[in-house]
Amino acid sequence: MSKKKTIYLAGPLFTHAELEYNRKLKDLLLKKGFSVFLPQEDAEDAANERERQNQECIFRKCVKGVDNSDIVVAVLDGVDVDSGTAWEIGYAYASEKTVIGLRTDFRALSDGIVNLMVEMAIVALARDEEELLKIMEKYK
């Protein structure tokens, strides 16, 4: 029996809608048999936790989360990719982790889907949750 692959789920987590969407994605990935590190829960990276903990503690938990993951799934929605998510993508890429993007946002840049540096760091780009789950099948 093989060990469950661990996914670090990177994405913005500053609005109620973003937090809920991240939880939805986590649940979908758990149902597919993956283990999921979700920063808003596993690093306690939320507004009330930032008041209680220092920023360095949250940062270190997130870095360790990427380090301990097999795959990074990054939500790339928005006019531009969330800056923290972009950092996590870059760190994962430099660590030779597989990075898969999810962009449900139909807006596109004039010369690509997302920022060139982000686009070149990902191995696959899903346009919805169903496509993401299909892509994830080959990484089980």
Side-chain angles (χ1 to χ4, degrees), residues 3-8 66 68-72 97-98:
K3 175 185 162 283
K4 277 186 186 183
K5 296 268 176 100
T6 300
I7 294 172
Y8 181 97
V66 174
N68 292 335
S69 70
D70 301 296
I71 302 162
V72 171
K97 305 282 182 180
T98 297

Side-chain angles (χ1 to χ4, degrees), residues 5-110:
K5 296 268 176 100
T6 300
I7 294 172
Y8 181 97
L9 185 53
L13 43 72
F14 302 102
T15 68
H16 292 286
E18 290 166 343
L19 293 169
E20 284 303 313
Y21 187 64
N22 295 342
R23 282 187 205 100
K24 174 186 173 181
L25 288 176
K26 177 184 177 181
D27 290 344
L28 289 172
L29 293 165
L30 287 172
K31 286 178 186 170
K32 284 294 181 181
F34 293 96
S35 175
V36 180
F37 182 96
L38 184 61
Q40 70 198 47
E41 294 173 357
D42 299 311
E44 302 173 292
D45 191 2
N48 60 338
E49 292 302 325
R50 285 179 186 223
E51 291 170 12
R52 244 187 35 192
Q53 300 184 64
N54 68 41
Q55 301 265 346
E56 184 178 353
C57 180
I58 294 169
F59 173 79
R60 293 204 182 283
K61 286 180 183 180
C62 290
V63 168
K64 187 175 180 182
V66 174
D67 288 342
N68 292 335
S69 70
D70 301 296
I71 302 162
V72 171
V73 171
V75 178
L76 307 177
D77 288 339
V79 175
D80 201 10
V81 175
D82 169 72
S83 58
T85 302
W87 186 92
E88 291 160 329
I89 291 167
Y91 181 70
Y93 179 82
S95 301
E96 300 183 351
K97 305 282 182 180
T98 297
V99 182
I100 298 165
L102 171 62
R103 184 168 174 86
T104 64
D105 196 327
F106 63 86
R107 295 173 288 188
L109 300 175
S110 61

